[in-house]
Every structure is written in C-alpha cells, then in structure tokens.
Amino acid sequence: MSKDRSMVLQKEMIGDHFDRLERAPETGQKVVYTFVPGNLTELIRSFDALPLLPEINALQSGMRQKSRGYIAEAEKLGHSEDVCTYVKCDIGMAKTGNIGPTGTRLPKPDLLLLSYTGCYTFMKWFELLREEYACPMVFLHVPYQGDGEITPEQREYMVRQLRDTVIPALEQVTGNKYNEEKFRAAIARSHRMEDDLVSVLHSAKKRPSPVDAYFGGVYYIGPIFSSFRGTAEGEAYYRALREEVEERAALGWGPETPSGRLDNQKYRLVVEGPPNWTSFNDFWKMFSDEGAVVVASSYTKVGGTYDLGFRHNPDDPLGTMADYCGGCYTNRNLPGRIDMLVDYVREYAADGFLINSVKSCNSFSAGQLLILREVEKRTGIPGGFVESDLVDPRYFSAANIKNRLESYFQMLDARRSPGAPGELHAK
Amino acid sequence: MKRIDIVAEARALYEDLDLQSVKRWMAGAPGRKAVGYLPVYAPKEIIHATGMLPVGVHGGGDQLEIIRGDAYYQSYICHLPRSVVELGLSGRLDCLSGMLFPSTCDVIRNLSGVWQVLKSGMYVRYLDLPQGQDLDAMVAFWASDLKILHQDLARVAGVEVDAEALRASLALYNAVRETVRALYAARRDTPERVPSEELYLLSRAGEVLPPESFMALAEAYLECVRREDVPARDNSRVVVIGAFCEQPPLGLIKTLERAGCYIVDDDFVLGNRMINHPVSLDGDPWMALSDALVRDAMKSSIFYEADPTGKKRLVKERAAAARADGVIFAAASFCDPALLDRPMLRAGADAAHVPSISFKYSENSGQFQQFREQAGTFSDAIKLWGGR
C-alpha cells in the first residue's frame, strides 16, 4: 500500500520515541505507563517523563503478527481465554523479554498512572502490571457519564485527585516540581493540534472523502492519542497532515487504501467499534475493494471527542484535563453514544452503519446490538454487524467477515434500486 | 418455625422471578414502591429511607428461558445481562419504579444505558462507586452522589429527603448485616448444620424481603441450627471465590457440597455484607455511609486494591479466617473482574500453599458432572495430601 507523507512522518516519530524509551535507563528519564483514553500526556511530559502506552504496544504487536505468541504465553500462565487480549498480549510481551513492537527493549515503568476512563479492565491491567514490575501506581478515578454529562461535583472530584494525588506522585517519581507554565504551554499546543485533527476529520463530509475516518483514521489519531499530544513534533505532524488532506481534497482525491487510491467511493459508512489489528490491511481491503469509505467512526474518539467541540484549555489546566477525561467516547453512556452515531450518519451523509464488535472489549461491545437497532431506527439506514477481536488472530475469520460485508454491501445496493423499500440516505 | 418451612419459604422467593412477593408487599399499603438494583453493591439504605423496598435483581438463573435477551448480547458476553434484559422485556420487573446499576464492570455499566433506552419511563441510575487511593476525596465524592441519589429516589417515592429516616435505615441495615454475618459464622463453625444451599437461599430471600422480615426468617433459621444436631461428614473445608456477580445455579452449590466440599466462606450475594462494621449513626448520615464503603468495605475484585500486596494476601487471609483447607475459584464465564483477578489471587494461594482449583460456570449451567468430579477430586486430594 502506498504511504502518505504523514504516515512516514509518524513512523519516524514513533521510532524516535521508542529509541528514547529504550535509552531511558541510561538517560535517567522516568517512564510512566498510562492508557489512551484519559491520558494525561501534557502533564506527564511537563515532568520530563516519557509516556508509554501498553494498548499501543499491544495493537502494534498485533499488526506485526507478534500477538499470537504473547497471548499464548499469558494463557499458559493462567490468564483466562475469556478476557481482554490487549492485557494478555502485554503480559506475554513482558514475560518474554519486553521487546516492543519496533524491536527495541521497553523500559520498566517508574510509575503506573491509571486513569480509569471508560474501561474497567484498565484497573485490573495495571494491578497485574504492578505485580510484574513492583513499581508505584497512582489512580485517577474518572466518573462515568451515567446521566449523559459530567457534573460539577464529578469535575471537582477529578481536579482534586489530579492536584492532591496524581501531581504529587509525578513529583515524587521524577524528582521535579510541578511546572504549571510548562504544562500550560503544552496544553496550548494540544489545542492547536486538535483544531488540525478536527479539520481532517471533518474533511470526510466532502465527496469524495479525502480520508478514511476509520482505517486511515487510526493513523491520524496516533500521535494525539498517544505520546505526542502537546509536543512540538505533534503540532508539526498535525499541521502537515492537515495540509496533506487539504491538498488531496482540492485535487478531488480519495484516501490511499490497500486497493489503491479510493476516488470512486460507492458506499459511505459510519463505523462503531475498534478495528481488528492482526489482519488490519486485509480487513481494510474488504472495504476498499468494494469501494467503501468510512466517513466517521467512534473508535477515533476513544482518546478524545474533539470533533464535538472539546478543546484543551490552557487557562484551566487541571479542569481541562478533567473535562477531557470525562468526555472520551467510552466514558459516555449508551444513549450518548447512540446520539453521536446518529449525528454522524446525518452529518456525514452516510449510506450505511456498521459495527465491528470485538470479543475483547466489553466497554465497547456490551450494548452494541442495541446501538445497532437504535441507529437503524432513528436514521432509516441499514446496519451491519461483524465480529472479530483486537489482537487475537484466532478470532479473525476472514471468510466469514468478507461474506458478511459482501452481503451487507449487496443490501445497500438493493436499497438503491428504483422502487426498493426504504430509503438509502439518512433521514 | 421448622427448618423445612423456612427453607421452603426462601426457595419460593428465590424461584419467584415474577416478583410476586414484592407485589404483595406493595399491595400491603397504598403508595408503596420498590426499586431494583444489580450486583454487587448498592446502598440499600438510601432506597429504604425513602420508604421503598430495595429489590436485588440477580438475573434469571437456570429457571428462565432466554428468548429476547440473546438478541441484545453477543456470545462472548456473560449471561447475566441477557437474563436481566429478558426479565425486563417480559414485564417481570415492571413493578419496579427504578433500577440502579453499580459500577461492577463494563457490562453492568453499559446495561444501565441499555435500560435507559429500553425503559425510558423508569428511573435508571448508574452508581459510580468510589475507586482509588485518595480516601478523603472518595468519601466526599460518594457522599455527594448518595445525596443526589437520595433526592432522586425521594422524588420517585413522593416523599421528602429525611436525614432521620436515613439514620434509621442505617441502623436497620447494620442489623441486617449482623444477621448475615451470624448466618455465615454459623456455617463456618458448623458447616454440617448449615448447608450452603440453605444459606444461599436465605441470602437470596434477603434480596427481596423487607429487612425486618428477612431478619425474622434468618433468626428462626439460626434457632433451628442451634437446636438440631447433625453429624459432621469427612468433608474438606473450602472457600469459593469469584462468584460475586452472576450467581451460580443452585445445583452447582449443592454439587460442590455433595462432592465432599463444605463451603465455609464465599462471595455469593456479596453486597449483603459488603460493609464490614456497623455504619456510624452520628453526624451526616450520607457521609457516614460513604465513609463506611470507602474505608471499611470487604476486599473484592470490583474495587481497586491500593495495597500492592493486597491481592497476594487476600486468599491466605480468607482461608485462614474460615479455617479452610483450600480454595475454589469459581467465576462466571466472561466475568472480567473475577477472571482478571484470578492469576493474582491464585499466585497468592500458591505462595501461601493453599490448594486451589478453578472453573467457570454460567448462571444457567445445567450439567454439573464436571464440577462434581473436579470438586470431588480436589476434596480427596486435600484429605490425602493435606490442605492449607
């Protein structure tokens, strides 16, 4: 597959980051393990510490065909076949030398920063890693949007924990004092990165869409969801990405896909759920071969719902972190998720709505069948449903998924034919 | 009251999926209402303080045929939510004026959203139980959430928020927990006199009965236990860990004991004794209830363990407290809290030389032969080679 300039740039950034991580034991830079949803990257980096995200390692291991062995290793050690494969992939990697996805050795954590945002498994994951690494752990409890909002009391609760628990833990581990000016400057950079990312995501409203907001989208969110939010490299990346996408849009080009550049876009889809990583390109090709482009997705909002208007605010550094954590996609209740997906279908003029339900992730998967019905009911467009897993290749049945997708696209075609019942476009 | 009658009454309540007993209670006086809650822990005191009946919703067990519930959940999600949806869609829970969904796991959390959509007229609330290490912040947060819950439920009940009524409910549920502990202590000390099947049925009765009725039933049962002498069998003593949310079928509990294992401690219906000591009746009652949960809750997989050695020590401590020979890790299939915890707990058991076995079940498991063989072999092994 032909690579965009931004993809190459991102690969270099990630490579550099993993090199710094590998050298951390010599350079003395402290390493903080944390998670994507609710990550506090600007805060971590303001202490000159390096973030390391086990989910990213797991998904990269999946893409590089290493996860099968890691999962087998963890299951051999007694981890259940029923639980999250990200966790098992990470544990298996740790138990077999902790060689990261880019081939460099990963350092042990100096601190486990557990931001409990939208996923119960995170808590258990870090309890397990604490057993492995015998290092300190700090917990930020992010209340869930059970009633569809974060209340002032919940916000204050998060701010209090950040101020009284998380910052002192970072001070203790790094030996550096909290530097609010440095933190604010990073947040201001994040704000600008978020503007550029949203511009890229919104470009999918064009026809043809110059981006694929799911398969391509996972590349676009990579830096901002992981270690680069608030950094100068991150800001440069998003500026370059935005320019690249604007250029493509001006030329009337579609995104680069495994089937080549997708200018002729037959189906515009909204997709809910994480992708499969072990067969990522094969999965994407099943869409692009059929001329299907994803114009909006929920997965690209797990690390922040910037397209709904949220921006980090340097004038209120701790409050804005609380707002950010509370607003991540999986921290939203099901009615909120349904509203968001229905809005996507309408705003992006989608022809179809598809769920990729992954076995590993109850945070996403529990309730998806209801989401499917509700989105169908409220938009009038047909929904599709496929099942796979994050990084366990045993749960990716290519023939089965391809069959389902082909049937789904045929159904969309049938609804396009004159006199067909129902309407194709969103109401 | 004879033991056989007490157990029969508790069994009838356990089998009462249509909540007829709740409806009878509601019909006992005008304006009575009831509010349901999912496992594991919900602050029943708040519901009770508004004059409503707290009703535990523990799924359909092996008594319910799932017709519609399966259409809402994929095969890799535990069984409990599909049976709860089945109960809801079949109208069996229509007598409830509200439903509370505690933060047990992502499935129950998301089930709160499913309920918000399916039962849009009903009061539905997700309970974000406090987690973490900043205990003061957690107490303040949970107390403020309890107050909001209290205001909401008072509105549902059509009453005013009343701190004195809450204090009275705190006192009453202190007594309920005392009673539950007395039942558990009786089984621990004389398991031959308190079959786990009977204890479990009583626990489940406590989930639907008004607290006073439950305590009367349990006291009557304890009186029988004290009166009746039963010869002890040469069974092994085990703690069953991990079955705190989706409940095992009754047949499985019976099977374990018939296979030669006296269950001397367990996680079944854990919410009924989650708080270890009496909640203080002084000062702000919401703060008191919150403080009790934050500082004095039983260790459980649903809560964050702040102590790095806590998981490792837990099994040893529980086995010692129950004078158990071994541990059975029994988790519902696809239960994240139990199954993710299991390697840590099992490592603790191994380090403390506490023998253990593990298996998975579903609330509607119908075949028990494999459990009988596994538990029987485990019990024999303990007797042959020794336990803890």
Side-chain angles (χ1 to χ4, degrees), chain B residues 193-320:
Chain B
R193 295 188 188 195
V194 185
S196 289
E197 177 193 9
E198 295 182 2
L199 173 53
Y200 181 73
L201 289 172
L202 281 166
S203 293
R204 290 292 296 266
E207 296 292 289
V208 291
L209 283 174
E212 298 85 349
S213 306
F214 164 68
M215 286 193 289
L217 195 68
E219 286 300 336
Y221 180 82
L222 284 167
E223 188 50 41
C224 296
V225 170
R226 285 188 281 268
R227 241 185 3 240
E228 296 167 15
D229 198 13
V230 179
R233 293 172 185 229
D234 183 25
N235 284 0
S236 299
R237 295 168 61 90
V238 301
V239 179
V240 177
I241 292 177
F244 43 78
C245 182
E246 180 175 322
Q247 296 293 290
L250 197 55
L252 174 53
I253 297 171
K254 278 194 286 192
T255 296
L256 296 181
E257 293 213 318
R258 284 180 184 166
C261 293
Y262 278 139
I263 299 173
V264 288
D265 190 17
D266 61 55
D267 286 343
F268 309 149
V269 202
L270 189 61
N272 70 4
R273 55 198 184 282
M274 181 62 85
I275 294 172
N276 282 313
H277 297 95
V279 178
S280 169
L281 304 180
D282 300 327
D284 181 324
W286 299 278
M287 283 294 277
L289 185 55
S290 173
D291 195 78
L293 181 69
V294 169
R295 298 184 200 277
D296 192 29
M298 290 176 71
K299 297 283 185 187
S300 163
S301 299
I302 66 164
F303 291 125
Y304 171 63
E305 173 57 72
D307 178 355
T309 64
K311 292 282 178 204
K312 279 232 167 80
R313 290 202 328 261
L314 184 61
V315 172
K316 183 184 176 187
E317 289 169 0
R318 285 190 69 175

Side-chain angles (χ1 to χ4, degrees), chain A residues 20-235:
Chain A
R20 274 196 292 274
L21 284 168
E22 187 178 34
R23 292 198 308 274
E26 292 99 66
T27 60
Q29 222 173 343
K30 300 299 179 189
V31 176
V32 177
Y33 283 26
T34 195
F35 292 110
V36 170
N39 73 76
L40 307 173
T41 301
E42 298 89 344
L43 186 64
I44 294 168
R45 283 187 173 272
S46 76
F47 285 91
D48 290 331
L50 290 171
L52 188 151
L53 297 110
E55 297 144 286
I56 304 289
N57 295 341
L59 77 85
Q60 291 273 357
S61 296
M63 289 180 105
R64 291 160 202 245
Q65 312 306 319
K66 293 178 176 172
S67 54
R68 182 194 292 266
Y70 293 152
I71 291 167
E73 184 66 26
E75 289 182 354
K76 212 161 64 189
L77 294 167
H79 293 266
S80 170
E81 65 271 26
D82 287 0
V83 302
C84 174
T85 52
Y86 271 175
V87 178
K88 288 185 287 187
C89 183
D90 190 40
I91 301 268
M93 187 179 75
K95 291 286 187 190
T96 51
N98 225 13
I99 302 298
T102 59
T104 58
R105 185 175 296 279
L106 297 176
K108 291 181 178 178
D110 295 291
L111 179 70
L112 297 167
L113 198 173
L114 169 57
S115 172
Y116 177 68
T117 308
C119 172
Y120 168 89
T121 296
F122 287 158
M123 183 168 83
K124 294 288 136 193
W125 191 342
F126 270 10
E127 284 179 348
L128 285 160
L129 288 195
R130 185 176 57 191
E131 304 263 315
E132 191 66 34
Y133 296 117
C135 66
M137 176 152 149
V138 64
F139 190 117
L140 170 66
H141 178 200
V142 176
Y144 181 68
Q145 291 194 23
D147 293 328
E149 60 174 5
I150 291 292
T151 64
E153 293 81 6
Q154 291 172 329
R155 188 178 193 266
E156 175 50 33
Y157 174 49
M158 286 186 271
V159 168
R160 183 174 172 179
Q161 293 175 79
L162 286 166
R163 188 185 59 226
D164 298 346
T165 310
V166 176
I167 288 176
L170 284 163
E171 285 182 330
Q172 190 173 12
V173 163
T174 62
N176 297 328
K177 294 298 288 180
Y178 172 56
N179 182 338
E180 190 162 288
E181 280 318 300
K182 195 172 173 183
F183 185 31
R184 283 178 196 273
I187 292 173
R189 279 195 291 275
S190 296
H191 189 122
R192 294 191 289 272
M193 291 166 69
E194 289 153 9
D195 283 343
D196 287 336
L197 172 65
V198 170
S199 166
V200 169
L201 296 173
H202 281 170
S203 73
K205 292 177 183 174
K206 297 181 192 298
R207 286 173 187 266
S209 168
V211 298
D212 184 288
Y214 185 53
F215 298 105
V218 301
Y219 289 98
Y220 307 148
I221 58 172
I224 205 167
F225 277 19
S226 58
S227 307
F228 298 98
R229 210 179 60 214
T231 64
E233 308 102 284
E235 191 176 0

Side-chain angles (χ1 to χ4, degrees), chain A residues 298-310:
Chain A
S298 56
Y299 179 70
T300 49
K301 315 300 157 25
V302 288
T305 47
Y306 306 113
D307 62 329
L308 301 187
F310 171 78

